Structure formats: C-alpha cells, structure tokens
Amino acid sequence: MKTMFVFAMSICLLFNYAVSAIPKPEEKRVLDHDPLSHAQHYQNDEHNKQYDHEAFLGEDAKTFDQLEADESRRRLGLIVDKIDRDNDGFVNMSELKAWIQYTQRRYIDDDVNRQWKTHNPNNTEKVHWDTYRKNVYGFLDELAAQEPDHPSDEHFSYRTMMKRDRRRWSIADRDGDDELTREEFTDFLHPEESSHMRDVVVTETIEDIDKDSDGKVSVEEYIGDMYRQGEQNEEEPDWVKHERETFTNFRDKNKDGFMDNQEVKDWITPADFDHAEAEARHLIYEADSDADEKLTKEEIIEKYDLFVGSQATDFGEALTRHDEF
C-alpha cells in the first residue's frame, strides 16, 4: 500500500537535497509501510517484480535496469559471491536476509550522510532546527511577504509540511535542546527505524489517509489510498474487494467501522513481522528450482529478472557501485 510504512520510506526520501532544499508540496512525509521498497509487492492481485528489485538492489534499481542483460547477469554473479559468506556455493535464508538488511542499512547511511553534509557543512556535533528550517523552508518567508493576504494552496502545502517536520524534529530531539545529533538526525529522517519514533509514523499515516480529519480511517479512506475509481458505475477489481474484506475482518479489530490509532499502528508496524526475512523467503521460494531451500548462483542468475528487480542486491545500487566489483 502506497501510504503506509516507511519508507519514505518514503520518506525519508521525500526530498532531493543534492539539487535543491525545496521539497515538492505534493510529496508526502508519511513512510511507506514496508521499509524494503516503495513499490507495492502485489498490484491488482499480481506479483510486482519491482518490489523485489528495490529490495535486492536498493535505491539504484532504476540504474541497474539500464544495464544490458549480459552485464547485469555478470554483476549479479559477483554480488552472489558476496552474499555467500561461508563460500559453500549456496545462498541460504540467513545469508540472503543478512544481505537485504545490509542493503537497507546502507541506503539509510548514505541518505543520512548526504543530508548531514547539506545541513551541517562544517560537520559540527549538532544541527539546530533554525538551520534546517532555513535550508529547507526559508523560501516561505519570501512567499509570505509576496502574498500576505491571499497565500496560495502551494504555500499552505509547504507550511503544512514544515509543521510536520517541526513535530518530528521535536520528537527526535531526545534532550530537548532543539538541536539534533547525527543519531537524532537519523531518527528524524528515518523514523521507521527507531522504536521511539513509531508513534509519529502512525500519526503521519493517519493524517495522509484521513480525508475528513476526524482522526480515524474509514474503509473508504483506506481503499482510496490504494485505488481511484474511474467510471461512476465501474465495478471494483477483485483485489479491491479483497482489501475491503481485509479491512473489515482484520484491520478494524473492534468492528466500529474505522481504524483508530492503535489499529493503524498494528497495520503499519505489525508486531513480530520481519520484512527482510519475509522477502528472503519469497526470493528463495521463487528461485529454488530443486526445492532444497537454498540457492545456487545458477538458480539466482536464471531468475536474474526477479533479483535485479529485488532489494537483495541493493541490487540496483550494489550492481552499479565500482567498489562492488
């Protein structure tokens, strides 16, 4: 589902500071519910390989897509050698899971490094909110001066984003000095990775889905986050009907017709669910031709279209980094 746990991912993930500190108003701060990929694992009841690509390749999966097939297979083979830690010629579940976790951590580290340098070019111990606000939202001051009486919708969108960032900043700021250490800055950018930030992830999710601002999520708001109906009398696809049943039977636990704060939390941060392990199991299931619950290099390369469409390589990024080869 596109507006769940994150990471933007999304979030994280929502601004390109390398070119400009100004975010786009339509971009959401809410994290995708799955930290491995921004893509939905299943679309219209069909498996979406792009999910696996991003899980295996990371943020540079699109770059990997530009490689010729023979070159992508060659690079994939080199990555397999790295995943096979005990050099026994097989990739087992624990090795694949460890690699997926590594690629996800590397993405976060790279993102934090990039943004830390942008907002803290002198590499001091902390970054103050005022510095961050000026870098990202300073243009709002000029906009306010230009249109004091009739602020634009875009102005309101940026103001809303700034308020949400301010709230998230304050929660990440554990000692309350309005400055973030590198560790606190990581929590701010990637709250999905920090247990004490999970509540703000839930809050942001509800805010994005809750169109009538009543503080809870109806079944129509839940469906509307995933599906836009075309013709007025158009019949809903089967997968949408299935999601309605899922909402009624599983999401709405107290059967009041809505998801409240706790129910949304159970939805986007399910207890005891390991995304990396689930993805590793899925990849092995898809590629394990002899059903021995482990993968040879040949089995992986045979399914290279699956893997270079998966987070296991960070694959996108790992396959394009010169130091990997």
Side-chain angles (χ1 to χ4, degrees):
M1 328 255 171
K2 72 173 187 298
T3 317
M4 299 182 232
F5 188 36
V6 201
F7 97 305
M9 349 23 93
S10 151
I11 138 180
C12 319
L13 324 168
L14 300 179
F15 301 98
N16 184 357
Y17 294 107
V19 177
S20 171
I22 302 176
K24 298 177 182 177
E26 68 271 16
E27 289 180 324
K28 297 180 179 179
R29 292 295 297 180
V30 68
L31 298 169
D32 191 275
H33 126 156
D34 192 330
L36 300 185
S37 173
H38 298 295
Q40 297 180 45
H41 207 173
Y42 289 86
Q43 291 182 327
N44 300 352
D45 281 341
E46 294 186 3
H47 177 249
N48 178 19
K49 287 184 178 180
Q50 187 59 32
Y51 176 97
D52 298 313
H53 295 179
E54 292 181 10
F56 196 70
L57 300 171
E59 64 174 338
D60 285 342
K62 291 181 180 179
T63 302
F64 185 80
D65 289 342
Q66 298 173 5
L67 296 173
E68 296 292 337
D70 288 344
E71 177 63 9
S72 68
R73 289 187 178 95
R74 184 189 75 81
R75 295 192 183 194
L76 178 58
L78 297 177
I79 294 296
V80 172
D81 292 338
K82 291 180 175 292
I83 300 174
D84 180 17
R85 292 184 174 182
D86 59 9
N87 298 314
D88 67 349
F90 298 95
V91 170
N92 59 37
M93 234 276 295
S94 63
E95 289 172 330
L96 189 52
K97 175 183 173 180
W99 178 263
I100 292 172
Q101 291 172 327
Y102 160 72
T103 59
Q104 174 66 8
R105 187 69 244 174
R106 184 168 65 180
Y107 163 72
I108 292 172
D109 289 343
D110 286 351
D111 184 52
V112 172
N113 287 340
R114 181 172 60 252
Q115 298 204 40
W116 183 258
K117 290 177 181 178
T118 297
H119 299 295
N120 185 16
N122 295 325
N123 197 29
T124 56
E125 291 186 1
K126 296 185 176 183
V127 175
H128 197 280
W129 164 255
D130 290 340
T131 301
Y132 177 84
R133 181 201 172 280
K134 182 178 180 180
N135 287 344
V136 179
Y137 298 106
F139 67 96
L140 285 174
D141 299 331
E142 183 177 347
L143 282 179
Q146 293 174 350
E147 47 183 32
D149 298 325
H150 303 285
S152 65
D153 291 341
E154 186 176 278
H155 189 173
F156 278 123
S157 296
Y158 285 124
R159 286 286 179 190
T160 299
M161 292 172 68
M162 184 177 69
K163 288 179 180 178
R164 292 178 70 166
D165 269 2
R166 184 63 169 119
R167 178 179 58 198
R168 188 189 286 192
W169 185 281
S170 297
I171 296 172
D173 178 20
R174 299 194 184 204
D175 59 7
D177 63 356
D178 220 14
E179 295 181 297
L180 300 188
T181 63
R182 187 184 183 86
E183 180 180 358
E184 291 170 336
F185 191 65
T186 300
D187 290 343
F188 168 73
L189 292 177
H190 295 272
E192 78 280 6
E193 296 297 314
S194 175
S195 59
H196 87 281
M197 298 291 291
R198 293 295 170 84
D199 285 344
V200 76
V201 173
V202 173
T203 298
E204 291 177 5
T205 300
I206 293 175
E207 289 174 346
D208 277 338
I209 301 175
D210 177 23
K211 301 306 181 185
D212 60 8
S213 301
D214 63 354
K216 51 191 178 182
V217 177
S218 68
V219 63
E220 294 305 326
E221 289 168 335
Y222 172 79
I223 294 299
D225 186 56
M226 299 175 278
Y227 172 70
R228 298 290 184 272
Q229 190 171 20
E231 300 290 334
Q232 186 173 3
N233 297 323
E234 179 182 76
E235 184 176 359
E236 289 183 341
D238 289 341
W239 71 270
V240 175
K241 295 176 182 177
H242 174 72
E243 285 297 336
R244 288 186 180 276
E245 294 174 359
T246 297
F247 182 96
T248 300
N249 297 328
F250 299 101
R251 308 291 188 215
D252 177 20
K253 294 182 179 180
N254 63 4
K255 308 304 177 187
D256 67 349
F258 300 92
M259 280 196 292
D260 58 24
N261 190 282
Q262 184 58 50
E263 288 166 337
V264 171
K265 187 173 185 177
D266 293 341
W267 170 40
I268 66 175
T269 60
D272 302 321
F273 182 78
D274 189 324
H275 288 279
E277 181 172 324
E279 174 66 1
R281 288 186 183 280
H282 163 71
L283 291 173
I284 289 178
Y285 174 81
E286 292 290 337
D288 184 17
S289 59
D290 58 6
D292 63 353
E293 298 185 354
K294 54 188 177 182
L295 302 178
T296 63
K297 181 184 292 188
E298 289 71 27
E299 285 175 323
I300 292 175
I301 292 177
E302 177 67 23
K303 291 281 189 175
Y304 91 99
D305 60 329
L306 173 71
F307 283 87
V308 303
S310 155
Q311 187 169 340
T313 46
D314 178 6
F315 275 166
E317 174 161 347
L319 292 167
T320 56
R321 288 184 179 222
H322 296 296
D323 60 354
E324 296 287 351
F325 309 100

